[in-house]
Amino acid sequence: MQFGLIRMILIILLLTGCNAMDRSSAVEVTSEMNEVISDYIIHYYEKAYMKTDEQFEVHKIYGAKKIGNVTTVYLYSLYSGFNKETKTEGQSGHSVPAIIKLKDENGKYVVSYYKEPSDGDDFKNTLYKIFPRKYAAQALNDTENLAGLQDELQQKAEAWLRN
């Protein structure tokens, strides 16, 4: 009886310690980090799609963790290119979950890694391989509604057209 109680206490302490460690590495994504992420994705897809007058990217952050000087960010990205003549009608783009790693180099963030799940039949499997389970489930739900990012992207395009 006493051994069972000690074992249960040890298990509880171990689980509590693991949860505390997991939380301690969680970090908030700053506006600077968000800007680096958007700039990187826009540049990354610059030549992948047809040429447009302006490109915008918006994203939803699921979570981020920091290990050493590298912050890993799990996100859902919506990217589109626009032309003055077609106004707010996107001409090319994508919506996709992605993982991005930002390395802190002397106070500036630099992208050290970027990955998206595979397209097609392998999408769900690769999403679960690169994302923590809780974020992968959210991303799967968000594929139906573009993670609620369409309005934000539209606002950026409208602001650009006004200038």
Side-chain angles (χ1 to χ4, degrees):
M1 175 80 171
Q2 195 172 23
F3 178 71
L5 180 61
I6 291 172
R7 187 168 56 177
M8 178 150 8
I9 290 171
L10 286 174
I11 290 171
I12 290 170
L13 288 173
L14 179 66
L15 291 174
T16 305
C18 288
N19 285 340
M21 279 181 19
D22 190 39
R23 281 193 301 274
S24 68
S25 67
V27 293
E28 189 169 327
V29 177
T30 65
S31 58
E32 178 189 358
M33 293 167 141
N34 279 312
E35 189 174 325
V36 169
I37 290 168
S38 287
D39 290 347
Y40 178 84
I41 292 172
I42 288 169
H43 181 71
Y44 184 83
Y45 281 103
E46 195 171 46
K47 295 193 183 342
Y49 296 111
M50 66 183 213
K51 185 165 174 34
T52 54
D53 296 333
E54 193 68 35
Q55 303 80 40
F56 299 104
E57 189 276 342
V58 294
H59 52 268
K60 174 182 178 179
I61 303 291
Y62 295 116
K65 65 181 180 180
K66 184 173 184 176
I67 299 174
N69 67 340
V70 176
T71 302
T72 303
V73 182
Y74 303 94
L75 59 95
Y76 194 98
S77 172
L78 179 60
Y79 165 93
S80 192
F82 297 89
N83 289 322
K84 289 271 186 187
E85 63 195 34
T86 56
K87 302 196 184 310
T88 59
E89 184 182 320
Q91 300 303 298
S92 59
H94 71 258
S95 66
V96 65
I99 179 175
I100 193 164
K101 293 186 180 193
L102 303 172
K103 186 175 183 182
D104 186 344
E105 292 185 353
N106 301 319
K108 289 192 75 171
Y109 291 102
V110 177
V111 175
S112 62
Y113 179 82
Y114 179 79
K115 185 162 179 78
E116 300 169 353
S118 301
D119 283 339
D121 292 340
D122 208 28
F123 175 80
K124 187 175 178 180
N125 288 337
T126 57
L127 176 64
Y128 274 93
K129 285 180 184 174
I130 66 173
F131 268 45
R133 189 167 199 75
K134 63 183 175 182
Y135 301 144
Q138 291 174 352
L140 280 175
N141 287 335
D142 283 341
T143 58
E144 298 299 316
N145 65 6
L146 303 178
L149 294 168
Q150 187 64 38
D151 288 342
E152 189 179 345
L153 188 71
Q154 203 70 18
Q155 290 170 2
K156 282 189 171 192
E158 289 168 2
W160 166 67
L161 288 167
R162 284 190 296 269
N163 292 330

